[in-house]
């Protein structure tokens, strides 16, 4: 889990502030596609409170090739998740 810049999320009829993200790879065919699971929470890294949203992000080419050939694939994945979800990971 990592902190994110606060992001407003509408959940169950109320607006909450997401402050924590969990993301990790769940699938990689080692050819042209991988999938990342994500969840946004209220609270802190030490004690999350409400899971506001969850989902999967699919990375295909050309992003997958860039990810696979990058000098730091973890940093590439972090930046990719940030861009797909519109969050800033701290």
């Amino acid at each position: 889990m990592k902190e994110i810049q606060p992001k407003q999320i509408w959940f169950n009829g109320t607006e909450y502030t997401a402050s924590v993200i969990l993301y990790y790879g769940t699938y990689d065919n080692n050819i042209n596609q991988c999938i990342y699971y994500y969840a946004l929470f209220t609270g802190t890294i030490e004690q999350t409170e409400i899971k506001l949203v969850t989902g999967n992000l699919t990375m295909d080419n050309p992003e997958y090739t860039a990810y696979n050939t990058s000098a730091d694939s973890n940093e590439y994945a972090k930046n990719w998740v940030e861009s797909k979800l519109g969050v800033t990971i701290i």
Side-chain angles (χ1 to χ4, degrees), residues 4-9 18 21 38 40 57 78-89:
I4 60 171
Q5 289 289 333
K7 181 171 180 72
Q8 298 303 114
I9 304 284
I21 187 170
Y38 70 91
L40 298 176
L57 299 170
K78 175 184 134 319
N79 294 335
W80 180 79
V81 168
E82 285 179 323
S83 72
K84 294 298 180 185
L85 297 179
V87 300
T88 301
I89 298 171

Side-chain angles (χ1 to χ4, degrees), residues 32-34 58-65 80:
N32 61 3
Q33 184 181 76
C34 64
T58 302
M59 181 188 299
D60 295 307
N61 278 325
E63 290 139 328
Y64 181 84
T65 298
W80 180 79

